[in-house]
């Protein structure tokens, strides 16, 4: 199973080798989608792949280590009333979460593909995209 | 129907502007959107299309920089001859007369945060909102007031007129970036190492690409502007019809442009949008639609043009010069496929124009012509075919006069 998680760190937890441990101790595949960590802590968005038991154990390990863990449900939101369906966001989206409907030429947003990297936020001329994490 | 000779000396069936207009007035005109017309020509041929179709509606919606609006605010008591003015913090030009202002779409607020500009104030006014007006003056015997701080809206003003000096570009350059860093441009966010390419034209449904030699679109043409009605006022600035063209006459580079104007009171926020290009500034998203009467087979043939027959070049914006190197010549069919190949690399593409909205405009315009609420007009003067674009150089006073 694949799970996208938003991790929040305090300064102490920032120094833990958590990705190493998730891989080595729990046999999970870890894909770091976004990381912003500095001296006051930070946030990280990861996707972990593995079986259900190991995923659960991995999450428990993170929580015990003092890392805030919550599932990534909605990372980026689009305001459809503001979007003008131009397509400026499409070519910069690394996961093809944004695409053009070839028939209607409306811009489609597949939220399940979005990894909340935030590249689209400042590329949107009408400022329809908002990052929530 | 009259018989006339086309430029190749061939005798052709032709309909006059007046004839088509009368048919439209009588509710008998056959009107098609540009999309419908291209399909019709594909299945029925140009000859039949020229005979049976009277009007084709074209449209475009995109960032149109040389846009703005002028206002007459009405006189204060005591009166003020405004010298400096700000509308919601955005400076407006006051050098015309006492209470006439012009607000440009790309004017930024004085903190230069580059997120909000004149375009957003114009959108707010179209939405019916009030905007804060601050103005100062030096005071004269006839205009003693030296400052005013108030609110204005479309309801309080005498005139509020969109006046855009360069819109509806006939074709436009596409952009990519070969450098190692992201560039923020008026062509949007350009990722490093040719990470993406952007383009900005409604292509086959864009007005001037369907009338390449400006036979039907000219000064005085009534148009759809920002949801309301407007007129072509003049050739647009940087009008450059002499660029290289395809054998069918379609320009391969940015060519014609239009200066347009229309009443802000009739416009809708769907087609007047304040836009922000990060680290470039603001601009106005404008919707324009123009009906093209199918006068003869040449006109039908021009309106049959499709994206695979319209070409532009992708320029390298890494080069910060007036002349940028061409990375690749491409068609709009290539660009709208979602990716183009540059130097063997597959490069994803983004349109900055909204084809969705452009198509909406062609449909609205068709409806308006059919229900009699929009009358086509013959231009009172053709756009010039002999203009070219000059450059700005550092010159001496003498050189500037030569």
């Amino acid at each position: 199973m694949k799970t996208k998680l938003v991790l929040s760190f305090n300064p102490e937890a920032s120094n833990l080798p958590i990705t190493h441990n998730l891989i080595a101790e729990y046999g999970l595949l870890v894909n770091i989608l976004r990381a912003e960590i500095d001296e006051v802590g930070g946030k990280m968005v990861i996707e972990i792949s593995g079986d259900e038991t190991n995923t659960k154990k991995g999450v428990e390990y993170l929580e015990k280590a003092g890392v805030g863990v919550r599932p990534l449900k909605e990372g980026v939101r689009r305001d459809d009333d503001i979007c003008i369906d131009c397509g400026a966001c499409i070519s910069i989206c690394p996961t093809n979460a944004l695409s053009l409907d070839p028939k209607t030429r409306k811009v489609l947003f597949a939220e399940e593909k979005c990894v909340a990297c935030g590249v689209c936020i400042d590329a949107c001329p009408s400022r329809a995209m908002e990052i929530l994490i | 129907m009259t018989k006339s000779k086309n430029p190749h000396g061939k005798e052709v069936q032709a309909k006059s502007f007046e004839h088509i207009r009368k048919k439209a007035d009588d509710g008998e005109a056959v009107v098609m959107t540009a999309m419908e017309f291209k399909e019709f020509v594909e299945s029925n041929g140009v000859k039949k299309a020229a005979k049976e179709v009277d009007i084709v509606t074209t449209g475009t919606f995109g960032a149109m920089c040389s846009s703005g609006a002028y206002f007459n605010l009405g006189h204060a008591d005591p009166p003020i001859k405004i010298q400096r003015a700000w509308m919601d913090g955005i400076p407006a030009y006051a050098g015309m007369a006492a209470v006439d202002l012009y607000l440009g779409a790309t004017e930024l607020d004085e903190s230069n945060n580059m997120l909000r500009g004149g375009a957003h104030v114009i959108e707010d006014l179209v939405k019916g909102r009030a905007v804060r007006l601050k103005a100062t003056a030096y005071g004269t015997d006839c205009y003693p007031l030296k400052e005013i701080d108030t609110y204005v809206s479309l309801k309080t003003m005498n005139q509020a007129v969109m006046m855009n000096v360069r819109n509806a570009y006939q074709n436009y350059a596409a952009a990519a970036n070969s450098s190692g860093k992201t560039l923020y441009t008026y062509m949007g966010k350009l990722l490093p190492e040719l990470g993406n390419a952007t383009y900005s034209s409604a292509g086959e449904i864009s007005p001037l690409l369907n009338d390449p030699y400006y036979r039907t679109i000219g000064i005085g043409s009534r148009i759809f502007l920002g949801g309301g009605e407007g007129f072509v006022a003049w050739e647009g600035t940087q009008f450059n019809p002499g660029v290289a063209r395809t054998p069918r006459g379609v320009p391969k580079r940015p060519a014609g442009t239009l200066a347009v104007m229309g009443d802000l009171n009739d416009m809708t926020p769907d087609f007047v949008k304040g836009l922000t290009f990060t680290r470039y500034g603001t601009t106005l998203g404008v919707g324009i639609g123009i009906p093209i009467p199918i006068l003869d087979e040449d006109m039908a043939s021009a309106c049959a043009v499709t994206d695979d027959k319209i070409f532009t070049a992708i320029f390298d914006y890494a080069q910060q010069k007036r002349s940028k190197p061409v990375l690749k010549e491409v068609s709009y069919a290539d660009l709208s496929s979602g990716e183009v190949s540059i130097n063997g690399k597959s490069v994803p593409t983004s349109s900055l124009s909204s084809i969705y909205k452009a198509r909406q405009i062609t449909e609205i315009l068709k409806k308006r012509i059919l229900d009699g609420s929009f009358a086509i007009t013959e231009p009172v003067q053709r756009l010039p075919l002999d203009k070219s674009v000059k450059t700005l150089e550092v010159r001496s006073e003498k050189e500037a006069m030569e």
Side-chain angles (χ1 to χ4, degrees), chain B residues 245-258:
Chain B
R245 291 175 181 250
T246 65
R248 292 174 69 178
V250 180
K252 295 200 256 185
R253 292 287 185 276
T257 60
L258 300 175

Side-chain angles (χ1 to χ4, degrees), chain B residues 278-346:
Chain B
T278 301
R279 290 199 231 163
Y280 163 75
T282 63
T283 183
L284 195 64
V286 182
I288 291 182
I290 307 186
I292 297 181
I294 302 299
L295 300 172
D296 51 32
E297 280 178 34
D298 281 349
M299 213 58 238
S301 170
C303 286
V305 73
T306 44
D307 277 343
D308 56 322
K309 305 264 177 0
I310 307 172
F311 299 88
T312 187
I314 303 174
F315 289 88
D316 189 355
Y317 276 59
Q319 188 70 255
Q320 294 182 326
K321 287 186 172 170
R322 186 167 63 207
S323 296
K324 296 175 169 56
V326 171
L327 290 164
K328 193 168 187 182
E329 303 274 344
V330 285
S331 74
Y332 278 90
D334 299 330
L335 288 166
S336 64
S337 74
E339 57 177 44
V340 290
S341 166
I342 306 177
N343 305 336
K345 190 181 171 181
S346 168

Side-chain angles (χ1 to χ4, degrees), chain B residues 153-320:
Chain B
S153 74
L154 292 185
K155 285 189 178 148
T156 72
M157 294 193 265
N158 292 313
Q159 277 78 28
V161 180
M162 182 179 279
M163 191 175 82
N164 306 341
V165 300
R166 185 174 66 257
N167 279 181
Y169 241 119
Q170 183 182 30
N171 208 344
Y172 206 72
N177 164 25
S178 70
S179 81
K181 58 171 189 178
T182 297
L183 298 177
Y184 290 87
T185 72
Y186 59 84
M187 290 300 286
K189 195 168 174 175
L190 298 175
L191 301 179
E193 318 288 353
L194 304 176
N196 69 335
T198 61
Y199 61 104
S200 188
S201 171
E204 63 182 25
I205 66 169
S206 184
L208 290 178
L209 286 171
N210 282 275
D211 186 6
Y213 290 111
Y214 330 113
R215 285 183 65 205
T216 69
I217 302 172
I219 296 171
S221 292
R222 181 181 278 115
I223 61 170
F224 171 108
L225 180 60
E229 257 182 39
F231 291 90
V232 174
W234 209 253
E235 75 203 38
T237 57
Q238 290 172 208
F239 192 83
N240 193 25
V243 298
R245 291 175 181 250
T246 65
R248 292 174 69 178
V250 180
K252 295 200 256 185
R253 292 287 185 276
T257 60
L258 300 175
V260 300
M261 54 199 296
D263 195 337
L264 224 51
N265 285 282
D266 299 336
M267 298 188 188
T268 57
D270 281 347
F271 299 107
V272 180
K273 279 266 186 192
L275 303 177
T276 301
F277 284 85
T278 301
R279 290 199 231 163
Y280 163 75
T282 63
T283 183
L284 195 64
V286 182
I288 291 182
I290 307 186
I292 297 181
I294 302 299
L295 300 172
D296 51 32
E297 280 178 34
D298 281 349
M299 213 58 238
S301 170
C303 286
V305 73
T306 44
D307 277 343
D308 56 322
K309 305 264 177 0
I310 307 172
F311 299 88
T312 187
I314 303 174
F315 289 88
D316 189 355
Y317 276 59
Q319 188 70 255
Q320 294 182 326

Side-chain angles (χ1 to χ4, degrees), chain A residues 68-116:
Chain A
V69 185
R70 67 181 168 87
L72 174 71
K73 277 197 189 122
E74 196 184 24
V76 168
R77 184 185 294 161
R78 178 174 71 175
D79 188 329
D80 292 340
D81 291 338
I82 297 175
C83 173
I84 56 169
D85 293 289
C86 64
C89 54
I90 289 170
S91 65
I92 51 145
C93 175
T95 62
N96 297 322
L98 291 151
S99 64
L100 204 61
D101 184 324
K103 216 166 167 189
T104 64
R105 304 292 296 235
K106 266 181 101 74
V107 176
L108 307 173
F109 179 33
E111 285 174 52
E112 69 283 1
K113 287 190 191 167
C114 174
V115 294

Side-chain angles (χ1 to χ4, degrees), chain A residues 7-22:
Chain A
L7 310 182
S8 326
F9 298 86
N10 57 27
E12 292 78 53
S14 301
N15 294 321
L16 297 173
I18 60 138
T19 39
H20 168 80
N21 287 347
L22 287 175

